[in-house]
């Protein structure tokens, strides 16, 4: 069964850090571009960070310098290290895998809440 499973979310105070993980099963991620999206209540889903199959990365302006995306193809896992978290980072975070000619694969999401 092809799936992505996110984990690592939770409730943290402003300024704290979290590391999200996205584990793939049923397929290998090495040839896929992987990305993290988030969706806050009442807002559209937005791209947070992406990493190509070759390792190139891109980030939303709102998270540059605070978030880092990385991948471990041997573990079939993508990570999102989130530092200096802000209340506006509160959202459900989703992992996505995409490859030319294939349908995108989405995870079920993990909740991140930043609140004092």
């Amino acid at each position: 069964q092809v799936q992505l499973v996110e984990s690592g979310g939770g409730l943290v105070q402003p300024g704290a850090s979290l590391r999200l993980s996205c584990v793939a099963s049923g397929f290998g991620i090495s040839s896929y571009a992987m990305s993290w999206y988030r969706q806050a209540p009442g807002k559209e889903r937005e791209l947070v960070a992406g990493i190509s199959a070759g390792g190139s990365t891109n980030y939303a302006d709102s998270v540059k310098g605070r978030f880092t995306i990385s991948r471990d193809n041997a573990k079939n896992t993508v990570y999102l290290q989130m530092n200096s978290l802000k209340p506006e980072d509160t959202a459900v975070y989703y992992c996505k895998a995409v490859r030319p000619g294939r349908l995108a694969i989405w995870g079920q999401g993990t909740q991140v809440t930043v609140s004092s």
Side-chain angles (χ1 to χ4, degrees):
Q1 182 181 1
V2 171
Q3 64 177 353
L4 296 170
V5 178
E6 302 97 333
S7 63
L11 171 62
V12 296
Q13 293 186 338
S17 298
L18 280 175
R19 188 175 82 156
L20 305 184
S21 298
C22 170
V23 180
S25 59
F27 72 105
I29 68 168
S30 61
S31 60
Y32 283 76
M34 304 296 297
S35 53
W36 287 95
Y37 284 73
R38 67 186 180 187
Q39 187 167 21
K43 295 187 177 181
E44 294 186 355
R45 192 172 296 189
E46 63 174 357
L47 175 67
V48 175
I51 184 166
S52 70
S56 298
T57 59
N58 62 284
Y59 298 92
D61 287 343
S62 59
V63 307
K64 281 181 181 176
R66 299 188 298 122
F67 291 12
T68 303
I69 188 171
S70 61
R71 64 192 297 157
D72 186 335
N73 292 339
K75 294 183 178 180
N76 235 20
T77 302
V78 177
Y79 304 97
L80 185 68
Q81 177 67 44
M82 306 186 295
N83 299 329
S84 303
L85 283 161
K86 303 176 181 180
E88 51 263 43
D89 295 318
T90 295
V92 178
Y93 284 71
Y94 298 90
C95 180
K96 176 185 174 183
V98 64
R99 177 179 167 184
R102 301 282 182 92
L103 291 174
I105 304 166
W106 289 89
Q108 84 291 345
T110 185
Q111 176 71 47
V112 172
T113 302
V114 185
S115 175
S116 54

